[in-house]
Amino acid sequence: MKSYAKIRLAVFLCIMMVLPSVVSVLPMTAQETSAAQALYVNWDYNISKHQNTYIQIEKGAKFYIGDYVYITDGDNSGTATMFSKAKYSSSKKSVATVNSKGLLTAKKTGTTVIKVKYKGKTLSQKFKVVKAGSLSKGDAAKGLQKAADKLKASLPSKVTTSTALKYTKRKSNYITAAGKYASDITSSGFLMEEVISGNYSYTTSSPKLAVPDAGRANYLDYVLYKYSKKNSPTSTSSSKMIKISSVSATTKEITIKIKKAITTEQILAANIENSSYNKSPNKKSAVIYVSVYDKTAEEFYVGHGTIKKGSKTIKVKLTKNEVNNGIWSTVDKKLKKGHTYVLGNEMSWEKGKKVKVK
């Protein structure tokens, strides 16, 4: 049962890692567009789930509490550390202080309430400072701390075409490192604990923040997201969105002809958006996600297309997520002769283009 719980955890970790990127390429309905203009201020998932208890951090810890706060203000999204108007406070400064940039310093053992304010919205969370070394004795915490140290070195306020690959690789390396310790600590730095519920056991994050520097991954994720949003080859809000000229298909793959050759910016953006598919990001090629619907058989597929710098052709192969013996896996699928397939829908970059397999 424990092994099954670990599989579920690994799947959940992968989903959480790529979620911001996946969301960024999906089309928006009129209702969603309207909602995007609203103001949202929320804690990171692992903090929000512990609202009714004290989150433990070690004495001497220094980290940006704003990295654990997500803000959406109209079309602008990021962590609180990316918003100059975010304000921070501590109810007991002798226990922990927070400066104007959101840098929290745990000074001595005790409890305090940390508040983050932005444009009239306030978040509060109770923290308990414990003895140094009491939370980070395990190999997982030490390993994640080492990965976080590499991640946070000289982080930028924004990335450019000349630096995007460097930071995409840095984030990719962090995700890989975090995945090694997923059974014992979350990518956000919280220790895992086993919970017994009847005849079942599962693991979940505890209120022990052993590696608070892990929050820097949230910050970098949004810095990269801003670049990908601007240069995305598949987002309807991007000026670099691919324009399709024609589509054809065989039982092996779908071939998309595009009007302009793929650029470096589009490849870098695709590496960021589809990080789960691009394990080794580079400037020459990237895998993009293409939703495909078999209209004849009424089935949905995940299409993976490889874009190459300077090319005007994209080859798309179909896959489908299936469950065998409780384990998720991705299976390659052939297109069916005579069937009509639809790329995306009327709102997405493919504009619901149809193609019949010959």
Side-chain angles (χ1 to χ4, degrees):
M1 194 62 65
K2 291 183 179 179
S3 61
Y4 178 65
K6 291 183 179 180
I7 291 172
R8 290 169 50 196
L9 172 62
V11 172
F12 174 76
L13 177 63
C14 291
I15 292 173
M16 293 304 293
M17 283 294 187
V18 301
L19 189 58
S21 298
V22 171
V23 171
S24 71
V25 301
L26 295 179
M28 298 182 72
T29 64
Q31 183 178 9
E32 289 171 332
T33 301
S34 176
Q37 304 305 313
L39 175 63
Y40 296 96
V41 183
N42 301 289
W43 283 114
D44 170 272
Y45 167 77
N46 285 291
I47 287 187
S48 64
K49 71 178 293 186
H50 296 302
Q51 287 288 285
N52 298 320
T53 187
Y54 283 94
I55 290 179
Q56 298 179 36
I57 55 176
E58 293 183 357
K59 177 184 176 181
K62 290 186 178 182
F63 65 100
Y64 290 94
I65 187 62
D67 287 342
Y68 288 95
V69 176
Y70 302 136
I71 296 176
T72 295
D73 189 355
D75 291 330
N76 193 13
S77 297
T79 60
T81 41
M82 302 170 73
F83 290 80
S84 60
K85 292 184 179 181
K87 306 297 181 183
Y88 311 87
S89 64
S90 170
S91 65
K92 199 166 186 180
K93 295 181 180 179
S94 61
V95 173
T97 58
V98 189
N99 68 15
S100 61
K101 294 183 178 181
L103 182 64
L104 185 154
T105 301
K107 303 180 72 174
K108 73 173 187 178
T109 57
T111 61
T112 186
V113 176
I114 301 299
K115 291 185 177 181
V116 182
K117 299 180 180 179
Y118 181 80
K119 289 189 175 181
K121 291 187 178 291
T122 302
L123 299 179
S124 298
Q125 176 59 48
K126 297 182 291 185
F127 281 86
K128 181 179 182 179
V129 178
V130 297
K131 292 181 179 180
S134 59
L135 300 181
S136 58
K137 295 180 180 179
D139 291 339
K142 291 178 181 178
L144 189 66
Q145 181 64 64
K146 185 177 180 179
D149 289 340
K150 292 181 179 179
L151 174 81
K152 70 179 184 178
S154 63
L155 287 179
S157 58
K158 68 177 182 178
V159 297
T160 62
T161 299
S162 62
T163 63
L165 182 59
K166 170 185 175 181
Y167 291 106
T168 299
K169 286 183 176 180
R170 189 179 292 188
K171 178 63 187 298
S172 178
N173 290 338
Y174 179 78
I175 292 175
T176 300
K180 294 179 181 178
Y181 312 111
S183 297
D184 300 305
I185 194 167
T186 72
S187 61
S188 295
F190 286 81
L191 295 178
M192 302 298 291
E193 63 181 358
E194 185 176 28
V195 177
I196 307 297
S197 178
N199 295 324
Y200 297 93
S201 67
Y202 61 94
T203 53
T204 184
S205 63
S206 72
K208 298 177 180 179
L209 183 51
V211 186
D213 284 330
R216 294 272 78 182
N218 298 333
Y219 171 85
L220 181 56
D221 199 35
Y222 273 103
V223 172
L224 290 169
Y225 163 72
K226 289 179 181 294
Y227 179 88
S228 66
K229 181 180 179 182
K230 178 181 178 181
N231 297 286
S232 170
T234 56
S235 173
T236 55
S237 63
S238 168
S239 61
K240 303 291 178 64
M241 185 184 73
I242 291 172
K243 300 293 194 305
I244 298 174
S245 58
S246 66
V247 182
S248 60
T250 64
T251 56
K252 180 182 179 181
E253 61 194 6
I254 297 172
T255 300
I256 301 174
K257 296 291 185 180
I258 59 179
K259 296 181 179 180
K260 293 184 179 181
I262 296 296
T263 66
T264 299
E265 289 79 9
Q266 290 173 316
I267 290 174
L268 291 171
N271 272 300
I272 295 168
E273 289 178 329
N274 302 287
S275 59
S276 61
Y277 304 136
N278 294 284
K279 302 298 184 182
S280 301
N282 61 82
K283 290 185 177 182
K284 295 182 179 181
S285 65
V287 175
I288 61 172
Y289 161 83
V290 184
S291 60
V292 180
Y293 174 61
D294 182 343
K295 189 175 182 180
T296 306
E298 298 184 344
E299 289 187 271
F300 288 95
Y301 294 90
V302 175
H304 296 126
T306 299
I307 59 174
K308 297 181 180 180
K309 183 179 179 181
S311 177
K312 290 186 177 181
T313 301
I314 304 173
K315 301 287 187 178
V316 177
K317 296 183 181 296
L318 300 190
T319 63
K320 197 165 190 177
N321 294 323
E322 298 180 352
V323 181
N324 293 308
N325 298 320
I327 300 177
W328 282 91
S329 62
T330 300
V331 181
D332 293 334
K333 294 290 184 178
K334 286 186 176 182
L335 286 81
K336 298 176 182 178
K337 190 173 182 179
H339 283 216
T340 297
Y341 291 82
V342 183
L343 277 67
N345 55 53
E346 292 76 8
M347 291 291 290
S348 68
W349 70 275
E350 304 96 345
K351 298 297 181 185
K353 287 189 176 295
K354 298 178 183 178
V355 60
K356 188 173 183 177
V357 181
K358 297 180 180 180

